[in-house]
Amino acid sequence: MGWFWAEQEQKPTPRFRPRPPPKHPTSGSPPPSCPMHKSTPPDFSKILGSNSDTASDNDINPLNLMFSSLPQSRAPGQGTHLPTERETSSIPRGDSGLWEYPSPQQMYNAMRRKGYDDTPEGAVESMVAVHNFLNEGAWGEIVEWEKRFGGGVLSALLDARERGGAPEREQEGFPKLVRFQGKSREMTPKARMFQVLGRIYPERFGGPPPFDRHDWYVLRQGGQEVRYVIDYYSAPPEPTGEPVFYLDVRPAIDRPSAILEIATVWGEDLWERASGADVRRAAAEKAKRESS
């Protein structure tokens, strides 16, 4: 994935916000040591993945289009010890168990394998930490969508009417992440639209494009597989130094029900802004952060 951020001297806690505001962030960048400062930022799926001319089909995991195995041994010339322990995510796999994240040593070996030889060894652990953090945040957003619409749009609307609000469906063991793909070079139609609007109305929509894009394929309880699209945006850091990211997570518009799901959420967001509920919630969250 392209969302690498690292600080060699410290490891501040990153934050993410579910959706980008109408005006995309226009400032804020990772520290100079971060590979994102390259003219062509590294894409995590390409770093851990393989090119068709360098590996056979047997080397590729079809669930994520990455190498089936990554070495845990030190790279030639490596001077810093990097952990080899892999963190288990909270994301259920399509078959059984939970997805695992690569260890810092695997991450470093993959970056060296793909030609990022100038990556600071002391920054790799922070890169992995933020990579894992954003994956968990993206999955949390998908779970919220699935709580509402995993049983179907009509069921969600009926439940909301009966409960007087949005439904909260708990489905044991579901949803599950079947597979995913990194597509950092393929801008989504929504992101492309914002770029066009940014040229026409720069004061409102101007800003950089997302630095990464993912497609996640999710299995619902009834056996239906649905696709989610995730755009990753960077934003100016908090005053305390924590990096901030915007995640725009929504169902892919490749089925009629997805249009209804997005329209439902859009209508609720519009009502929140019109009623001032979003302002009150943001003030409450800010007060909570300042008091902690």
Side-chain angles (χ1 to χ4, degrees), residues 163-211:
R163 295 163 54 97
E168 293 292 333
R169 286 180 170 269
E170 294 294 339
Q171 302 176 351
E172 184 177 356
F174 290 89
K176 297 181 178 182
L177 178 60
V178 178
R179 63 187 188 279
F180 59 89
Q181 292 179 308
K183 297 183 176 181
S184 63
R185 302 297 183 264
E186 298 179 30
M187 190 177 296
T188 63
K190 182 178 180 180
R192 193 179 302 114
M193 178 189 69
F194 273 117
Q195 291 300 297
V196 173
L197 290 174
R199 289 192 288 269
I200 302 173
Y201 305 107
E203 69 286 349
R204 179 171 177 80
F205 296 102
F211 59 82

Side-chain angles (χ1 to χ4, degrees), residues 162-274:
E162 293 175 0
R163 295 163 54 97
E168 293 292 333
R169 286 180 170 269
E170 294 294 339
Q171 302 176 351
E172 184 177 356
F174 290 89
K176 297 181 178 182
L177 178 60
V178 178
R179 63 187 188 279
F180 59 89
Q181 292 179 308
K183 297 183 176 181
S184 63
R185 302 297 183 264
E186 298 179 30
M187 190 177 296
T188 63
K190 182 178 180 180
R192 193 179 302 114
M193 178 189 69
F194 273 117
Q195 291 300 297
V196 173
L197 290 174
R199 289 192 288 269
I200 302 173
Y201 305 107
E203 69 286 349
R204 179 171 177 80
F205 296 102
F211 59 82
D212 201 4
R213 173 237 174 128
H214 268 209
D215 285 15
W216 288 19
Y217 296 81
V218 173
L219 182 66
R220 290 180 168 173
Q221 188 174 30
Q224 181 187 18
E225 184 177 296
V226 295
R227 180 168 63 96
Y228 280 85
V229 177
I230 309 168
D231 284 326
Y232 298 86
Y233 295 87
S234 59
E238 296 281 1
T240 51
E242 292 94 344
V244 177
F245 303 90
Y246 288 113
L247 306 186
D248 189 2
V249 183
R250 71 273 185 191
I253 306 180
D254 53 6
R255 51 191 170 85
S257 58
I259 300 174
L260 295 177
E261 293 170 10
I262 293 173
T264 300
V265 172
W266 180 84
E268 293 175 355
D269 287 348
L270 185 63
W271 171 251
E272 279 199 358
R273 290 195 295 270

